[in-house]
Structure formats: C-alpha cells, structure tokens
Amino acid sequence: MAWYSALMIDPAAADDPRDDFAATFTAIDPAAPALSVGELSTQRGDGIFESIGVVDRHPQEVTAHLERLAHSARICDLPAPNLAQWRQAIAEVAVACGPGESVIKLILSRGVEHGPAPTAWVTAAAASDFTAIRRDGVRVVTLDRGYAIDVPSRAPWLLLGAKTLSYAVNMAAIREAKRRGADDAVFVTSDGFVLEAPTASLIIRRGDTFVTPAANGGILQGTTQLSLFAHLEQQGFVTAYETIPLDQLATADAAWLVSSVRLAAPITAVDGTPLAVDAELTASANRYLLSPRD
Ligand code: PLP
C-alpha cells in the first residue's frame, strides 16, 4: 500500500469550542508501528471507522462520513467525536495525497484496555485502480446473513447500522463468494430480504425507479448511495427505500454495488444467472461520483 500520511489524534470533547485543533494532531510514519499491544481495536475489533474517497486531493462527502462516524459512536457507546477536529484532520491529510484517487480512513477505537481515553487516528493512502471493475462489474452470490429482518430492533447489541472495525465476518463472506466462483456477496436475511454487500450498498433499478434496502433492516446507511440517489432525483428518476425480497434482485432491470472508494460496480450475475448491465447509466453514475462532492 502506498501511504501518503498519518496523524494520531488526541480526541477532543464534542463541545470543545476551539477553532484550531492542530495541537491535538501528531504526524506519524504510516509505515512504522504506532499502536499499543493493549489496543482494544486490535484485540477485539472494538471501535469504528470511515473510509472516505479522495479525488485529486478532494475528500468526498466529508459531512456525510462525519455524521455516520457520530452515529456509529452513539450506537457503540463511544464518546461523541468532535466533528470540527476530525474535519481539520481530514483536510490536513488530504493535502498530502497524490493526484488521482486516494482513500482517507478515520479510526476511533475504544482505546487501550483500562486506559483513560479512546485512541484515534487518520491515514491517507493511494486507492487501488477500480476502473475495470466499474466498467466490467461484479458477479455476486447471495449469502444468508443468519438473522431475520426485524433483528436490529430486537437486538441492538449486535450494533447493526454502525460501521465497526469488526469486519472479519464481512471478509469471510467475500472469501466464500470467491470460493463459489463470484466476485462479491449480497447478504440476505434468514426470512429472504436482501441487505447489502460486505463492503458496499445495493441499488436495484426497476424501470425509472431506483430502490435500495431500507436502513432499518440493519444495514449501514451508505454515503455513496445517498449521494447517488440525490443525483438521480435531480435527473428526474424516482428513488425509494424498501424491504426488498430476494427474487427482486435477480429480476431487476439492473443492479449495482456502490461504495466510497470502488464507487458504482454493476452487478453482472446473481448466483450464476446473468443480469443485464446498464453500461451508459453506470458510466454516468461513476462520472458523477468522481466529480467533486461535498
Ligand atoms: N455497507 C457496508 C457493510 C460497507 O462496509 C460499506 C462501505 O464500506 C457500505 C455499505 C457503503 O458505504 P459508503 O457508500 O459510505 O462507502
């Protein structure tokens, strides 16, 4: 991975009124060891994160990512992040990025076991080249998520809807998808509704309507999906949040996995059955997603 920069952050209280947080940042060598072995982020995956796409040093949708960081912190009982402090840290590492596409990660961990405070840091690195996948798409398999659509309200301790660091299950699902000859997975509830991919939101097209699973089903509210829906609405399309039965994925007019760094990848097959690709709309969605967005 080509690193550009990294900052350790001394987290400020959410109501800290300072307008300059530079004194709370420590620049570190991103390739050198930086965390204590007692870190709960590494021991238990106990923390939250954000991945922000950067295009020509412009970090995309910073406000939406900061709002989701605050939302994840609330769900996980972590101290509310000071959003002005994080915004300044993002701006500082963004200027160190190279031209083209990069990724900025924000990480807020519960900290060191028995330690006084959370640990926080920001990194910037070059992004992988997703040009081919944005054009050629992904074959997906549907995988059982192991719980029903109503679980989020019955079991809030599962932290569904928070972007936690515990992505081992998500990575296992991608490995299973590859074992089955596909590129990615779409999670399905045990009662048969589609949710999201392990690292992306799902959007399906039915005629001139674009539909995504409602966030109350225990999925992450995607910043890319939100931004793309606003763009599609401006173009006169209808958008909707629904509880989507599995059969509506295979019979969609088109479908995409969308996320902050890979952007819009058209789905070319579901469980081995080809799905039509709307190449023109995919290209125009990715042109929009690569344009500067705030
Ligand atoms: N759902 C999951 C589980 C994710 O991990 C991600 C992105 O990392 C998304 C959805 C898409 O979110 P965003 O568009 O904000 O990147």
Side-chain angles (χ1 to χ4, degrees):
M1 168 165 295
W3 295 104
Y4 291 127
S5 67
L7 293 179
M8 295 302 296
I9 299 178
D10 182 9
D15 59 356
D16 186 325
R18 271 179 283 185
D19 53 15
D20 183 0
F21 290 92
T24 66
F25 304 150
T26 306
I28 57 166
D29 174 355
L35 297 177
S36 155
V37 290
E39 250 301 313
L40 292 170
S41 55
T42 54
Q43 290 195 6
R44 293 186 174 155
D46 195 353
I48 56 176
F49 77 108
E50 284 295 322
S51 293
I52 302 177
V54 181
V55 181
D56 292 333
R57 302 189 181 87
H58 182 275
Q60 305 278 51
E61 300 284 349
V62 169
T63 299
H65 282 285
L66 289 176
E67 282 169 1
R68 192 170 62 191
L69 187 75
H71 177 71
S72 298
R74 262 194 307 279
I75 294 176
C76 294
D77 299 319
L78 283 163
N82 182 308
L83 300 190
Q85 181 187 34
W86 285 91
R87 195 181 283 279
Q88 187 177 338
I90 294 165
E92 199 156 305
V93 295
V95 294
C97 289
E101 294 180 54
S102 314
V103 55
I104 290 177
K105 285 200 178 192
L106 320 180
I107 293 133
L108 176 60
S109 142
R110 200 168 301 278
V112 176
E113 196 156 19
H114 310 303
T119 313
W121 68 99
V122 177
T123 61
S128 304
D129 182 358
F130 291 113
T131 317
I133 225 168
R134 288 172 194 155
R135 183 192 57 229
D136 302 337
V138 284
R139 295 159 299 173
V140 302
V141 288
T142 55
L143 296 182
D144 186 354
R145 191 74 172 91
Y147 51 68
I149 193 87
D150 66 345
V151 145
S153 57
R154 283 195 290 117
W157 46 87
L158 293 181
L159 307 180
L160 300 171
K163 194 165 169 68
T164 75
L165 290 168
S166 316
Y167 262 49
V169 167
N170 304 44
M171 297 301 106
I174 294 175
R175 289 195 301 276
E176 178 62 22
K178 292 195 168 152
R179 268 195 292 273
R180 295 186 189 193
D183 308 298
D184 212 330
V186 169
F187 286 128
V188 182
T189 63
S190 53
D191 43 357
F193 300 100
V194 289
L195 292 170
E196 61 185 347
T199 64
S201 310
L202 172 69
I203 297 177
I204 69 173
R205 178 176 188 170
R206 287 194 311 246
D208 281 345
T209 303
F210 291 80
V211 189
T212 198
N216 60 6
I219 58 170
L220 212 59
Q221 174 86 70
T223 62
T224 317
Q225 169 269 313
L226 273 174
S227 178
L228 195 54
F229 267 26
H231 175 68
L232 290 166
E233 283 158 22
Q234 272 178 355
Q235 296 187 313
F237 292 110
V238 178
T239 63
Y241 294 84
E242 289 179 11
T243 301
I244 306 175
L246 174 56
D247 59 359
Q248 288 195 15
L249 174 57
T251 57
D253 292 324
W256 295 265
L257 297 184
V258 303
S259 53
S260 295
V261 183
R262 192 170 67 179
L263 304 181
I267 295 178
T268 59
V270 177
D271 294 327
T273 303
L275 190 66
V277 168
D278 187 335
E280 206 174 308
L281 199 119
T282 303
S284 97
N286 280 314
R287 269 196 304 279
Y288 163 70
L289 293 170
L290 284 166
S291 67
R293 292 177 291 128
D294 287 314

